[in-house]
Amino acid sequence: MHVRITYVNFRSDEEAHGTCSTEVLRRRDKREKIRTAVKSPPKPSAIRTSGPSPLNLPTMSVLPPVRRDRVIAQLPQPFTKEAALHTKNEFHSRVKTACQEHKTGTVGFKISKVIVVGDLAVGKTCLINRFCKDTFDKNYKATIGVDFEVERFEVLGVPFSLQLWDTAGQERFKCIASTYYRGAQGSERSFWLHDAMKENDPSSVLLFLVGTKKDLISPAQYSQVEQDAVRLAEEMKAEYWAVSALSGENVREFFFRVASLSFETNVLAELEKSGSRRVGDVVRIHSNTSNVYATSKKKQSNCCK
Ligand SMILES: Nc1nc2c(ncn2[C@@H]2O[C@H](COP(=O)(O)OP(=O)(O)OP(=O)(O)O)[C@@H](O)[C@H]2O)c(=O)[nH]1
Ligand SMILES: [Mg+2]
């Protein structure tokens, strides 16, 4: 399951420009090879949990407990309904039931990848640091290659982790990000989106367009920029957010929304996968047919609607 996020960088003196994007990608072995240039992230097994709730982990666990402020009990709402991946008020009912019945399969053991990509200095690193470390550095230090953070959540009582990849926006480091998005063509501005979408199945991607540095723009300027950003998000089939790493505005809400939609999509996919092999399925025996197994419910589509 892939989730992508693209950012628009707000400036008070010019129209939003540049993009950075975040995507949650399912672990792909091929891609792991680029990590020769970066720190090795923890393997999935290193964050495995044994019970349904990490808050109840035994003291012997190697894992720290999920922070209280990373517990998600309600579906976070989109920034604007005009450009949202979906506008439901609550988690999908099948997801809620699966969580209540502890039938979320392997979702609690997975890490979803969030890849933040975009032009240099749009604020990718600061955004991640504000969320993960609650810090902000006004001095620009270009990211070299790729860096990462792992954030653990508990969604509807189920552990869920995001691996946040912070890529470099500078041209000279683009080759590393390009390992993810091979074959990219097009302008600087469209590079990230076009390339990323080309390399991945769009139906398995959650894409977010994020306007960074919201504090730099006046409310009047912002409302004009937002119209353009919403239009762009619609074109991209992305969910739009506007954030400020400096003030912290919307940063937590945004990452909670990313975690929640990724979690929901993962659980629905898991239910879809296991739909034809559930324990306790009804077994019907017909004298006139050789097809003796039937599930109690028809397979349902993996859809948030
Ligand atoms: N005013 C304001 N400045 C910000 C904000 N976020 C980042 N900045 C500043 O913008 C500059 C670049 O921020 P970074 O987060 O390092 O940018 P980046 O996208 O990671 O850049 P690369 O690593 O080169 O791709 C820094 O000087 C930050 O202090 C914000 O929300 N508001
Ligand atoms: Mg950076």
Side-chain angles (χ1 to χ4, degrees):
M1 181 57 52
H2 300 201
V3 178
R4 293 207 178 115
I5 305 168
T6 301
Y7 294 74
V8 176
N9 178 211
F10 295 138
R11 286 250 176 109
S12 52
D13 56 345
E14 61 183 270
E15 198 187 346
H17 80 283
T19 59
C20 65
S21 60
T22 304
E23 61 179 26
V24 178
L25 300 173
R26 199 170 258 166
R27 185 172 292 273
R28 282 167 58 167
D29 288 347
K30 246 189 317 191
R31 291 181 177 172
E32 299 300 307
K33 288 181 186 145
I34 73 149
R35 291 183 185 167
T36 50
V38 301
K39 287 187 272 180
S40 280
K43 296 208 165 97
S45 57
I47 65 151
R48 254 172 214 176
T49 59
S50 51
S53 167
L55 293 176
N56 299 324
L57 280 174
T59 48
M60 287 300 288
S61 169
V62 291
L63 292 170
V66 172
R67 284 166 46 174
R68 292 270 163 203
D69 62 355
R70 293 286 187 263
V71 174
I72 301 173
Q74 302 283 336
L75 179 67
Q77 292 303 292
F79 176 74
T80 168
K81 292 195 171 181
E82 284 179 86
L85 287 174
H86 75 65
T87 55
K88 282 176 161 288
N89 290 328
E90 293 179 27
F91 280 104
H92 196 292
S93 56
R94 294 182 69 209
V95 171
K96 286 198 284 187
T97 306
C99 293
Q100 275 159 11
E101 297 175 353
H102 305 298
K103 288 182 179 165
T104 51
T106 60
V107 172
F109 307 127
K110 281 184 182 162
I111 309 179
S112 280
K113 240 181 208 174
V114 178
I115 310 287
V116 183
V117 296
D119 295 346
L120 78 157
V122 291
K124 302 180 295 294
T125 301
C126 286
L127 179 64
I128 291 174
N129 286 345
R130 170 59 76 193
F131 181 64
C132 298
K133 303 172 186 161
D134 201 16
T135 59
F136 177 80
D137 187 352
K138 64 179 172 29
N139 302 309
Y140 172 47
K141 289 187 210 86
T143 302
I144 296 171
V146 185
D147 208 348
F148 69 90
E149 296 281 342
V150 174
E151 274 296 324
R152 299 178 63 229
F153 297 84
E154 185 187 283
V155 189
L156 298 178
V158 179
F160 189 65
S161 297
L162 292 183
Q163 193 179 66
L164 305 172
W165 286 75
D166 179 16
T167 66
Q170 279 191 24
E171 187 68 40
R172 63 200 165 114
F173 301 126
K174 216 173 248 180
C175 57
I176 294 176
S178 297
T179 310
Y180 288 97
Y181 315 120
R182 281 184 314 277
Q185 299 289 325
S187 69
E188 174 74 15
R189 193 166 170 160
S190 61
F191 172 85
W192 302 109
L193 177 64
H194 287 177
D195 197 12
M197 295 312 280
K198 210 191 291 186
E199 289 298 324
N200 294 289
D201 172 9
S203 67
S204 70
V205 169
L206 299 179
L207 184 65
F208 293 80
L209 174 70
V210 179
T212 50
K213 308 188 187 181
K214 189 168 183 285
D215 56 278
L216 289 180
I217 198 166
S218 72
Q221 288 168 319
Y222 175 73
S223 62
Q224 176 56 47
V225 169
E226 187 178 83
Q227 286 178 17
D228 297 340
V230 163
R231 237 188 338 264
L232 179 59
E234 279 170 348
E235 271 172 38
M236 292 162 53
K237 300 204 178 358
E239 178 162 308
Y240 169 69
W241 280 78
V243 302
S244 167
L246 185 148
S247 69
E249 184 183 356
N250 295 330
V251 171
R252 184 171 180 272
E253 290 82 352
F254 165 64
F255 281 107
F256 270 42
R257 178 81 174 163
V258 172
S260 299
L261 293 189
S262 176
F263 174 81
E264 183 174 65
T265 311
N266 269 286
V267 174
L268 287 169
E270 189 76 19
L271 292 174
E272 172 91 359
K273 219 167 56 186
S274 61
S276 57
R277 50 178 167 77
R278 280 191 298 262
V279 175
D281 280 352
V282 176
V283 178
R284 294 194 198 117
I285 300 177
H286 301 277
S287 55
N288 59 349
T289 174
S290 57
N291 183 12
V292 294
Y293 294 100
T295 54
S296 52
K297 270 190 195 165
K298 280 192 178 153
K299 203 175 170 191
Q300 294 180 26
S301 84
N302 170 25
C303 177
C304 300
K305 288 171 196 160

